[in-house]
């Protein structure tokens, strides 16, 4: 099976050809936004970090930013910094260029440019030229095994674990069998189901890392003296029919299908292996999606029972509804209805094939509902206090 993608000089494949305007610090958000609004064909995001962070947090922020800039869905990058922040825009731009020497990378420092207006002008000029150059690239036939899929569930309900998630798991298996990669995440939503995924590990090292990662997440909540319940499952999950984190986890793990677990990696870490990968992320939808995209996922499939409009600024996000009532109510946001499994009109395998077919269509250029709506959600997972 094939899709039509953008073949990069380093052998990676993009399914979009974005020019990304990327602020490295909260203070640069509005300039980045100003640049993007002035140049059609660009995308951008904002975040609240990049300064007053301890070393581990600053490194995690930088990893997320660099991962987005070096992403194969991105043709070129405008890196926007203030000039005095902890996460140095100069270093972020240099690392993107080091990883992707072929990629145009323009650095804009607000203090050096002499203020916001001049910085917007400089960035918009560079972005203008990048968009023109990007428009000349043509899609080429690419083997489906080049795809890296990010799997996600949010706003789950009682139907998520019996319809949408198993169907996504079936699509995940199909992609892995084609030589592709599928990423399972959401560590707190694997608590109580860790044995299911760990027992599929390819070796003892991966198996133990899986257990240790999930236990560490649970221990961090206990160490704070708080109860996870109410934060996860959320009030909406409970209203949708989920009784506990264990029940939610047993439904969540289905997204990973049934293939062997090849590796366990950190949040936003580069994905380098084929097959099923487990990335350590929070359950928070935006932070999870950001981590998977930073790791290299060119496409994401997001299952939901309550409904969600979330979308990445650079990775198309396909929404799969777990029940027909919500699908019909939120057609502005939903791409696929898996509620047909609940009604008995389709099997899990049939919906899984539909999800894979939709993935290949989107990889070839079809827009998702989230893209049409212009969603550009981005969230960095914090691990330490702001100083």
């Amino acid at each position: 099976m094939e899709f039509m993608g953008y073949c990069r000089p380093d052998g990676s494949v993009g399914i979009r050809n974005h020019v990304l305007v990327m602020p490295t610090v909260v203070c640069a958000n509005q300039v980045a936004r100003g640049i993007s609004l002035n140049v059609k064909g660009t995308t951008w995001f904002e975040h609240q970090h990049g300064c007053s962070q301890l070393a581990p947090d600053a490194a995690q922020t930088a990893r997320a930013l660099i991962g987005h800039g070096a992403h194969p869905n991105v043709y070129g990058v405008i890196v926007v910094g203030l000039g005095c922040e902890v996460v140095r825009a100069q270093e972020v731009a240099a690392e993107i260029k080091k990883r992707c020497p072929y990629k145009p990378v323009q650095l804009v420092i607000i203090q050096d440019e002499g203020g916001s207006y001049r910085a917007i002008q400089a960035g918009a000029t560079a972005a203008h030229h990048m968009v023109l150059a990007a428009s000349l690239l043509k899609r080429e036939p690419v083997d489906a095994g080049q795809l890296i899929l990010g799997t996600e569930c949010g706003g789950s309900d009682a139907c998520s674990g019996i319809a949408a998630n198993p169907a996504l798991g079936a699509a995940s298996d199909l992609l892995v069998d084609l030589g592709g990669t599928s990423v399972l995440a959401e560590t707190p939503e694997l608590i109580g189901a860790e044995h299911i995924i760990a027992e599929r590990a390819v070796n003892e090292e991966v198996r133990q890392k899986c257990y240790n990662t999930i236990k560490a997440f649970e221990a961090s909540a206990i160490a704070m003296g708080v109860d996870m319940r109410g934060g996860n499952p959320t009030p909406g999950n409970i209203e949708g029919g989920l009784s506990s984190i264990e029940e939610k986890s047993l439904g969540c793990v289905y997204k990973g299908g049934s293939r062997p677990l090849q590796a366990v990696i950190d949040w936003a870490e580069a994905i380098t292996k084929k097959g099923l990968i487990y990335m350590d992320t929070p359950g928070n939808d935006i932070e999870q999606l950001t981590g998977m995209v930073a790791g290299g996922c060119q496409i994401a499939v997001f299952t939901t029972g309550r409904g969600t409009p979330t979308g990445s600024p650079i990775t198309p996000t396909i929404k799969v509804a777990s029940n027909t009532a919500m699908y019909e109510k939120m057609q502005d946001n939903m791409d696929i209805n898996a509620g047909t499994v609940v009604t008995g009109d389709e099997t899990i395998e049939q919906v899984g094939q539909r999800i894979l077919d939709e993935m290949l269509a989107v990889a070839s250029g079809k827009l998702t509902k989230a893209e049409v709506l212009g969603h550009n959600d981005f969230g960095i997972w914090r691990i330490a206090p702001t100083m």
Side-chain angles (χ1 to χ4, degrees):
M1 299 183 77
E2 292 183 333
F3 65 93
M4 299 297 289
Y6 296 99
C7 297
R8 307 303 185 190
D10 63 354
S12 63
V13 177
I15 68 171
R16 294 294 183 266
N17 203 34
H18 293 299
V19 170
L20 174 63
V21 185
M22 183 172 69
T24 57
V25 64
V26 59
C27 317
N29 281 342
Q30 295 311 309
V31 167
R33 180 175 183 271
I35 294 168
S36 187
L37 289 177
N38 274 282
V39 185
K40 184 178 179 180
T42 62
T43 186
W44 74 290
F45 58 76
E46 64 179 43
H47 61 97
Q48 69 183 77
H49 301 303
C51 201
S52 303
Q53 292 184 285
L54 296 172
D57 246 341
Q60 184 143 293
T61 295
R63 187 165 73 244
L65 297 173
I66 292 164
H68 277 69
H71 198 283
N73 284 357
V74 173
Y75 169 83
V77 196
I78 311 296
V79 180
V80 186
L82 177 59
C84 55
E85 59 269 27
V86 169
V87 178
R88 305 290 286 171
Q90 297 91 332
E91 295 171 4
V92 169
E95 183 60 27
I96 294 170
K97 195 68 177 177
K98 180 181 177 181
R99 292 191 191 182
C100 308
Y102 61 89
K103 184 171 295 197
V105 180
Q106 180 68 40
L107 180 65
V108 175
I109 303 297
I110 298 168
Q111 291 168 351
D112 291 349
E113 294 293 339
S116 295
Y117 286 123
R118 291 185 180 90
I120 290 172
Q121 182 179 25
T125 299
H128 172 86
H129 293 299
M130 283 188 199
V131 168
L132 289 175
S135 71
L136 299 175
L137 269 64
K138 304 294 184 184
R139 290 181 179 268
E140 303 173 42
V142 180
D143 187 84
Q146 291 290 329
L147 276 180
I148 304 176
L149 164 67
T151 67
E152 182 168 3
C153 58
S156 300
D157 72 347
C159 295
S160 294
I162 61 174
N165 288 356
L168 177 51
S172 171
D173 285 348
L174 290 170
L175 179 63
V176 169
D177 291 347
L178 289 169
T181 303
S182 179
V183 180
L184 178 67
E186 299 174 287
T187 298
E189 296 173 19
L190 294 176
I191 295 170
E194 55 265 58
H195 59 290
I196 296 174
I197 184 69
E199 291 308 311
R200 287 159 48 195
V202 293
N203 56 46
E204 182 58 27
E205 180 183 357
V206 173
R207 177 180 176 275
Q208 198 56 53
K209 189 172 182 180
C210 180
Y211 274 121
N212 292 342
T213 299
I214 296 168
K215 287 178 181 177
F217 208 113
E218 186 174 16
S220 67
I222 294 171
M224 293 177 65
V226 298
D227 191 335
M228 285 178 58
R229 292 170 294 184
N232 209 337
T234 66
N237 295 152
I238 295 167
E239 290 172 10
L242 295 176
S243 63
S244 65
I245 187 60
E246 291 83 4
E247 184 181 12
K248 186 175 182 180
S249 296
L250 290 168
C252 176
V253 74
Y254 274 119
K255 302 196 308 295
S258 61
R259 299 303 181 256
L261 178 65
Q262 301 293 331
V264 179
I265 63 176
D266 292 334
W267 185 84
E269 183 179 341
I271 300 159
T272 58
K273 291 187 176 181
K274 295 280 191 176
L276 179 64
I277 309 297
Y278 161 37
M279 178 182 283
D280 181 20
T281 78
N284 178 278
D285 297 339
I286 312 303
E287 293 178 1
Q288 180 208 347
L289 181 60
T290 299
M292 292 193 301
V293 172
C297 293
Q298 308 115 308
I299 194 166
V301 176
F302 190 146
T303 66
T304 178
R306 305 285 290 176
T308 173
T310 303
S312 163
I314 64 171
T315 287
T317 306
I318 299 168
K319 296 293 169 40
V320 179
S322 71
N323 64 84
T324 301
M326 188 275 290
Y327 174 78
E328 293 176 347
K329 184 178 181 180
M330 294 189 65
Q331 289 195 36
D332 287 352
N333 304 102
M334 298 297 112
D335 298 286
I336 292 176
N337 180 25
T340 50
V341 173
V342 180
T343 59
D345 295 308
E346 284 185 293
T347 65
I348 287 170
E349 291 72 25
Q350 286 172 324
V351 178
Q353 184 64 57
R354 280 205 291 124
I355 292 173
L356 179 65
D357 292 342
E358 183 73 3
M359 285 168 52
L360 295 175
V362 168
S364 297
K366 179 182 178 181
L367 295 178
T368 65
K369 299 284 184 69
E371 288 181 292
V372 172
L373 288 163
H375 291 296
N376 64 337
D377 303 304
F378 182 92
I380 295 171
W381 184 20
R382 283 182 58 181
I383 54 177
T386 300
M387 291 292 102

